mmCIF file of all heavy atoms in Angstrom:
data_model
loop_
_atom_site.group_PDB
_atom_site.id
_atom_site.type_symbol
_atom_site.label_atom_id
_atom_site.label_comp_id
_atom_site.label_asym_id
_atom_site.label_seq_id
_atom_site.Cartn_x
_atom_site.Cartn_y
_atom_site.Cartn_z
ATOM 1 N N ILE P 423 -32.225 -14.443 -77.099
ATOM 2 C CA ILE P 423 -31.297 -14.288 -78.226
ATOM 3 C C ILE P 423 -29.908 -14.778 -77.846
ATOM 4 O O ILE P 423 -29.244 -15.471 -78.621
ATOM 5 C CB ILE P 423 -31.278 -12.831 -78.725
ATOM 6 C CG1 ILE P 423 -32.603 -12.514 -79.416
ATOM 7 C CG2 ILE P 423 -30.097 -12.578 -79.666
ATOM 8 C CD1 ILE P 423 -32.815 -11.042 -79.716
ATOM 9 N N ALA P 424 -29.466 -14.433 -76.643
ATOM 10 C CA ALA P 424 -28.153 -14.900 -76.187
ATOM 11 C C ALA P 424 -28.121 -16.427 -76.115
ATOM 12 O O ALA P 424 -27.118 -17.055 -76.480
ATOM 13 C CB ALA P 424 -27.821 -14.286 -74.821
ATOM 14 N N CYS P 425 -29.222 -17.032 -75.681
ATOM 15 C CA CYS P 425 -29.297 -18.497 -75.618
ATOM 16 C C CYS P 425 -29.276 -19.101 -77.020
ATOM 17 O O CYS P 425 -28.628 -20.138 -77.248
ATOM 18 C CB CYS P 425 -30.560 -18.931 -74.881
ATOM 19 S SG CYS P 425 -30.529 -18.592 -73.108
ATOM 20 N N LEU P 426 -29.979 -18.481 -77.948
ATOM 21 C CA LEU P 426 -29.970 -18.969 -79.329
ATOM 22 C C LEU P 426 -28.563 -18.909 -79.916
ATOM 23 O O LEU P 426 -28.123 -19.837 -80.605
ATOM 24 C CB LEU P 426 -30.947 -18.154 -80.188
ATOM 25 C CG LEU P 426 -32.432 -18.408 -79.938
ATOM 26 C CD1 LEU P 426 -33.276 -17.312 -80.579
ATOM 27 C CD2 LEU P 426 -32.831 -19.779 -80.460
ATOM 28 N N MET P 427 -27.849 -17.832 -79.638
ATOM 29 C CA MET P 427 -26.481 -17.685 -80.139
ATOM 30 C C MET P 427 -25.558 -18.742 -79.511
ATOM 31 O O MET P 427 -24.732 -19.346 -80.199
ATOM 32 C CB MET P 427 -25.946 -16.284 -79.844
ATOM 33 C CG MET P 427 -26.736 -15.178 -80.525
ATOM 34 S SD MET P 427 -26.678 -15.262 -82.310
ATOM 35 C CE MET P 427 -25.036 -14.695 -82.598
ATOM 36 N N ALA P 428 -25.709 -18.960 -78.215
ATOM 37 C CA ALA P 428 -24.890 -19.964 -77.531
ATOM 38 C C ALA P 428 -25.193 -21.361 -78.065
ATOM 39 O O ALA P 428 -24.275 -22.156 -78.296
ATOM 40 C CB ALA P 428 -25.135 -19.904 -76.022
ATOM 41 N N ALA P 429 -26.467 -21.661 -78.277
ATOM 42 C CA ALA P 429 -26.858 -22.975 -78.807
ATOM 43 C C ALA P 429 -26.295 -23.173 -80.207
ATOM 44 O O ALA P 429 -25.800 -24.257 -80.544
ATOM 45 C CB ALA P 429 -28.381 -23.108 -78.815
ATOM 46 N N ALA P 430 -26.346 -22.137 -81.030
ATOM 47 C CA ALA P 430 -25.792 -22.232 -82.389
ATOM 48 C C ALA P 430 -24.285 -22.463 -82.332
ATOM 49 O O ALA P 430 -23.739 -23.268 -83.095
ATOM 50 C CB ALA P 430 -26.103 -20.960 -83.174
ATOM 51 N N GLY P 431 -23.615 -21.786 -81.413
ATOM 52 C CA GLY P 431 -22.173 -21.957 -81.256
ATOM 53 C C GLY P 431 -21.778 -23.351 -80.805
ATOM 54 O O GLY P 431 -20.693 -23.840 -81.117
ATOM 55 N N GLN P 432 -22.655 -24.000 -80.062
ATOM 56 C CA GLN P 432 -22.394 -25.361 -79.565
ATOM 57 C C GLN P 432 -23.081 -26.415 -80.433
ATOM 58 O O GLN P 432 -23.091 -27.588 -80.095
ATOM 59 C CB GLN P 432 -22.866 -25.481 -78.117
ATOM 60 C CG GLN P 432 -22.127 -24.567 -77.165
ATOM 61 C CD GLN P 432 -22.707 -24.624 -75.762
ATOM 62 O OE1 GLN P 432 -23.464 -25.521 -75.413
ATOM 63 N NE2 GLN P 432 -22.347 -23.650 -74.931
ATOM 64 N N ASN P 433 -23.706 -25.974 -81.521
ATOM 65 C CA ASN P 433 -24.402 -26.861 -82.456
ATOM 66 C C ASN P 433 -25.513 -27.665 -81.762
ATOM 67 O O ASN P 433 -25.720 -28.834 -82.062
ATOM 68 C CB ASN P 433 -23.419 -27.778 -83.178
ATOM 69 C CG ASN P 433 -23.932 -28.184 -84.538
ATOM 70 O OD1 ASN P 433 -24.839 -27.564 -85.085
ATOM 71 N ND2 ASN P 433 -23.361 -29.240 -85.085
ATOM 72 N N GLN P 434 -26.204 -27.020 -80.813
ATOM 73 C CA GLN P 434 -27.330 -27.642 -80.113
ATOM 74 C C GLN P 434 -28.634 -27.209 -80.762
ATOM 75 O O GLN P 434 -28.793 -26.048 -81.140
ATOM 76 C CB GLN P 434 -27.356 -27.229 -78.636
ATOM 77 C CG GLN P 434 -26.272 -27.829 -77.801
ATOM 78 C CD GLN P 434 -26.445 -27.457 -76.330
ATOM 79 O OE1 GLN P 434 -27.159 -26.526 -75.988
ATOM 80 N NE2 GLN P 434 -25.777 -28.191 -75.462
#
Side-chain angles (χ1 to χ4, degrees):
I423 290 169
C425 290
L426 288 166
M427 298 297 286
Q432 297 175 15
N433 208 17
Q434 289 185 343

